[in-house]
Amino acid sequence: MRLLMKFGGTSVADAHCIARVVDILEQHHKAGDEVAVVVSAQRGVTDQLIEVASALPTAKDPSAIRPMIQAISKRHMTTLEGAAPDYVAEIGAEIEDRLVNLENILFAIFSLRELTPRSKDYVISFGERLLAPIVGAALRQRGIASTVIDGCEAGILTTPQHGESTSLPESDERIQRRIVPLLKKEIPVIMGFMGCTRDGILTTLGRSGSDYSASILGAGIDADEIWIWTDVDGIMTCDPRVINDARVMPSLSYLEVMELSYFGAKVMHPRSIEPAMRKNILVRVKNTFNPSHPGTVIVRNGQRDNRVVKALTYIEKVAAININGAQMIGRLGVAKAIFTILADREVNVMMISQGSSEANISLIVDENHLQAAIIALGDLVKQGFVREVSHNHDVCAVAVVGAGMAGAPGTCGRIFSALGAADVNVMMISQGSSEANISFVVSQSDGPRAVRVLHDEFHLSEESDE
Ligand code: ADP
Ligand code: ASP
Ligand code: MG
């Protein structure tokens, strides 16, 4: 079998975890599988890089740089010593070289007082750059040949949208050419999260982007299956940190996972299903720390069961925007003006609702995009397109997901009756045309309760449906 395996931040957090990763890979290698591996940064490293780099343009001195470099160096060297003792000198020198390069860039950002999207992408890719050589060396330590390749060299060609780039169709052929010849004799280790533009400029694929790398590469090598190894047994009925009796789902459809990840289920990057779906490749989500658990299988048509609602997501980091103004009634082009200006400023609109009077449009946006959205919409007020724009931070979005909801009458009624009975006030509702998702907005304080009520209402903790 040809497999693409991706290991997330917790799966490579230290030498002990990497030993488990190598156990898994060795087992498949011995069984005759062809395997390519994608790794992300060690848990927390990307956050550290973003935090320090983002503060530099306005910092009064560059004193945050050295302690971070030292901490990252120590962590990676300790991991290397434990995971690949015979390679400490060779890979240690490589890591130190990269850290010198990173330190120089960070000092330059401080001196220039400028962090461009392009330089930010370069900086935040270092987590993967530092970790992948350690995993490659750990494989060689066990006698398995391994080449370490960055995302660009592996063939991932992307749009130039820094921080949120998307793979281009040419990636397939480039990946095929670069990676497939290696699979007969070794396990290549590819740095996740990054690709490059046609001009060779490094880009990143968005937070949690190594899931997306895995799917792009899996499609590129025509893998039989893509395995996403993480720290939970599979995709669960809800974020286990919100619902403690959330249950692992044995099977989901591509569409269901897209809806879940788009609406905030942190377990997968939102665009990571598309490449696998295009090539109809089965995706498994499995636990590195419990590999005998079958995990979740994601295929075109998920397991048929009589469950209408399968899972819930809950996103806190959103804001509601209300656009009001009688000028909007019947006026052609208002919606176009709103969405064009938001798209131009790269604002991610997650939900839209418009009353039939057309005098009001409500939007839910990523909290990080609120400022840009308010400025952009302010321009429309000045131009007389709309009268006023207000916003509310104190909201969260809940999505109810299940392909079986399509054509199942009464699901909406059941959702909102249960919420009403629990005294949860619903501020906005939206249903996508796929009908695999009904999402709604409540105040932040009501969010966890809304999720709990619906998890119980649809008996999601139970193995079989009511
Ligand atoms: P990795 O480092 O392996 O990419 P992440 O931390 O990005 O792992 O994603 C795994 C985490 O996602 C889990 O530990 C869990 O807390 C969280 N999570 C959120 N929603 C879900 C869900 N519906 N099913 C499973 N895990 C979820
Ligand atoms: N290291 C990147 C991040 O933290 C990519 C990933 O983990 O998938 O977002
Ligand atoms: Mg992740």
Side-chain angles (χ1 to χ4, degrees), residues 101-159:
N101 182 216
L102 173 63
E103 187 169 345
N104 289 338
I105 294 164
L106 291 173
F107 275 106
I109 290 167
F110 173 74
S111 304
L112 295 168
R113 304 254 152 209
E114 183 183 56
L115 179 65
T116 61
R118 180 166 157 175
S119 49
K120 183 172 178 187
D121 262 1
Y122 190 58
V123 168
I124 68 176
S125 71
F126 269 80
E128 278 71 12
R129 271 176 207 292
L130 294 166
L131 194 269
I134 301 179
V135 176
L139 281 165
R140 293 197 290 280
Q141 181 83 41
R142 288 267 186 105
I144 302 169
S146 175
T147 311
V148 178
I149 303 172
D150 74 36
C152 178
E153 196 203 331
I156 300 181
L157 210 60
T158 73
T159 57

Side-chain angles (χ1 to χ4, degrees), residues 6 8-10 43 208 229-232 234-236 238-241 265-267:
K6 175 256 169 175
T10 335
R43 158 143 286 172
S208 297
W229 291 92
T230 182
D231 61 348
V232 284
I235 301 187
M236 305 170 97
C238 191
D239 186 336
R241 290 163 300 189
K266 206 198 146 224
V267 69

